[in-house]
Amino acid sequence: MQENNAKKGPLAALMRLGLVTQIVIGILLGILLAAAVRHSSAAGPVVELGAILGSLFVGALKAVAPILVFALVVAAISQHRSGNPTNIRPILVLYLVGTFAAALVAVSASFLFPSQLLLSGVEAASNEAPAGIGEVMRHLLMNLVSNPIQALANANYIGILAWALVLGTAFRHASERTREMVNDVAQALSQVVRWVIRFAPVGIFGLVLVTIIKEGFDKLEFYLHLLAVLLGSMLFVALVVNPILVFMHTRRNPFPLVFTCLRESGVTAFFTRSSAANIPVNMALAKKLGLHEDTYSVSIPLGASINMAGAAITITVLTMAAVHTLGIPVDFWTALLLSVIASVGACGASGVAGGSLLLIPMACSLFNISNDIAMQVVGVGFIIGVIQDSAETALNSSTDVLFTAAVDQSHKRPAD
């Protein structure tokens, strides 16, 4: 009887809720507790508790992120096969161009509406900011040839990415069993990240608690401003950039197709927060639109892995927010290089909720930002991720169908 009651208790009911709901509850509880104790004698112990919870969560992410990025990129490259149908190539080009364009939009928005973050240890940061593109390139090249073990141990994400690309290419010539093993390792590490992210509500509760008690409610405007830049960039890509890319292929009014994809794919993806889970929805929509099955049966699953405009925006905006917070000057060429890094990183984003956030340290390393500071930025990303990750997934997933349909219609146009 007691066991049955335990299963029906409030804790069990809370665990049955979705992760998004749990994170919202964590944020609300953090705000309420902070408001209750902020001016009392209990503020000190509560801040200490919140700091421990937040540090444990961020520390766990810091530990798993480097090896996850390495495994995901190796697996993605090793699984690639040549000889795909010819009409997949223009879709792939659209995926890559769209992701890079999204990163450029995010960089521009970050310059026009610079965001500031609340980060601890910024004043004591010892890393010297790069002076310009020359120093950035030298730093980038030296990191590329870093020892792979040291790259993993020191969270050198540029070195990790370089070695992952090389090793993944080498594994393309390995046996099928070996490639399956590599993919299994990547999936296992993704599962570890899912377990860590299950503790996000507790970690975010601690982060919100410490922020409000120490900084006050007026500092929440930093999060709102950051979220506005993220969502504004995603809307601009969805309603301006993507229609232009579609029109360049179809020479038709792109907006009926754009709105159809947003309505029938984007809305579902917004609530599921998973491009992979939205694949059946996209397949059904592609069939409804009369697209060629041999094309969309390949392009839709492929897009769920590499068509990551929303992830590129998230990586770029949060990295630029850290750059502005640290007062690091950024010239045009460095910003362009950041767009490239964010685009490449986005294509390797983990399929779990919040997976793009774990690639922020890679982009931050371009500016010589320490891993400790970068992982605090990841923590900020999880706080706003309740809305950000949903919007990101909606943009990513709806664009899979949009670009597939654009290429399919362009191939049919001469026969019409």
Side-chain angles (χ1 to χ4, degrees):
M1 178 67 71
Q2 291 180 348
E3 185 178 346
N4 290 335
N5 290 336
K7 291 181 179 179
K8 297 178 181 179
L11 182 59
L14 182 63
M15 292 302 295
R16 286 194 294 270
L17 296 175
L19 181 62
V20 176
T21 305
Q22 292 178 21
I23 290 176
V24 171
I25 292 174
I27 293 174
L28 293 176
L29 289 177
I31 292 174
L32 292 174
L33 182 57
V37 305
R38 188 180 177 210
H39 299 293
S40 70
S41 59
V46 171
V47 166
E48 186 174 349
L49 172 63
I52 291 173
L53 295 176
S55 297
L56 285 173
F57 175 59
V58 173
L61 291 175
K62 188 192 304 183
V64 75
I67 187 64
L68 174 69
V69 172
F70 180 78
L72 286 172
V73 176
V74 170
I77 299 298
S78 66
Q79 300 302 314
H80 175 74
R81 284 290 169 271
S82 58
N84 284 333
T86 306
N87 52 356
I88 292 298
R89 182 170 297 175
I91 297 176
L92 180 61
V93 171
L94 262 183
Y95 285 166
L96 298 178
V97 170
T99 300
F100 179 66
L104 287 178
V105 168
V107 167
S108 302
S110 297
F111 277 123
L112 291 172
F113 310 101
S115 302
Q116 296 281 328
L117 302 176
L118 298 172
L119 304 174
S120 61
V122 170
E123 299 83 359
S126 58
N127 289 6
E128 184 178 350
I133 185 62
E135 186 174 346
V136 168
M137 290 302 299
R138 185 186 65 82
H139 178 70
L140 178 65
L141 291 173
M142 293 307 298
N143 282 340
L144 282 174
V145 296
S146 174
N147 181 290
I149 304 301
Q150 290 180 347
L152 287 169
N154 300 328
N156 169 13
Y157 285 90
I158 302 300
I160 289 170
L161 183 62
W163 283 106
L165 289 171
V166 171
L167 192 58
T169 302
F171 271 125
R172 289 177 60 184
H173 304 286
S175 66
E176 189 67 31
R177 170 177 279 185
T178 301
R179 292 195 301 271
E180 288 178 0
M181 183 193 71
V182 171
N183 190 58
D184 288 343
V185 170
Q187 294 302 317
L189 286 168
S190 295
Q191 182 59 52
V192 171
V193 173
R194 291 186 183 94
W195 290 337
V196 172
I197 290 178
R198 290 303 302 173
F199 291 93
V202 178
I204 290 171
F205 165 78
L207 293 171
V208 170
L209 193 63
V210 172
T211 298
I212 293 179
I213 291 179
K214 286 187 173 182
E215 307 292 343
F217 285 94
D218 56 326
K219 299 298 182 181
L220 291 177
E221 67 184 61
F222 287 103
Y223 296 131
L224 295 177
H225 181 275
L226 181 64
L227 189 59
V229 174
L230 281 165
L231 296 182
S233 298
M234 292 180 190
L235 280 173
F236 186 85
V237 169
L239 301 179
V240 178
V241 175
N242 285 350
I244 291 174
L245 292 175
V246 171
F247 176 77
M248 289 171 63
H249 272 74
T250 64
R251 302 299 177 183
R252 303 172 183 171
N253 178 8
F255 287 102
L257 181 60
V258 168
F259 290 133
T260 297
C261 293
L262 287 173
R263 181 179 65 251
E264 300 195 23
S265 173
V267 172
T268 306
F270 183 90
F271 292 103
T272 61
R273 301 174 75 226
S274 171
S275 295
N278 212 48
I279 287 176
V281 175
N282 284 349
M283 290 284 200
L285 177 57
K287 184 177 181 179
K288 180 180 177 180
L289 292 172
L291 307 184
H292 198 286
E293 185 175 359
D294 289 342
T295 299
Y296 72 73
S297 63
V298 176
S299 67
I300 296 299
L302 183 65
S305 300
I306 67 169
N307 184 32
M308 295 289 177
I313 290 171
T314 297
I315 294 169
T316 304
V317 169
L318 284 166
T319 299
M320 288 296 293
V323 167
H324 289 308
T325 302
L326 293 168
I328 299 174
V330 182
D331 57 26
F332 170 79
W333 295 109
T334 306
L336 186 64
L337 186 58
L338 171 62
S339 300
V340 174
I341 294 294
S343 301
V344 173
C347 292
S350 171
V352 300
S356 60
L357 299 176
L358 300 180
L359 296 167
I360 290 171
M362 180 183 67
C364 284
S365 67
L366 185 67
F367 300 95
N368 207 23
I369 297 174
S370 71
N371 195 45
D372 289 338
I373 297 294
M375 292 311 297
Q376 289 185 56
V377 180
V378 174
V380 171
F382 274 101
I383 291 176
I384 63 173
V386 173
I387 298 176
Q388 166 269 322
D389 194 50
S390 296
E392 174 186 314
T393 307
L395 176 60
N396 290 341
S397 191
S398 63
T399 308
D400 296 345
V401 185
L402 179 66
F403 287 166
T404 299
V407 171
D408 189 79
Q409 290 180 6
S410 70
H411 278 76
K412 292 177 180 177
R413 191 175 69 242
D416 289 345

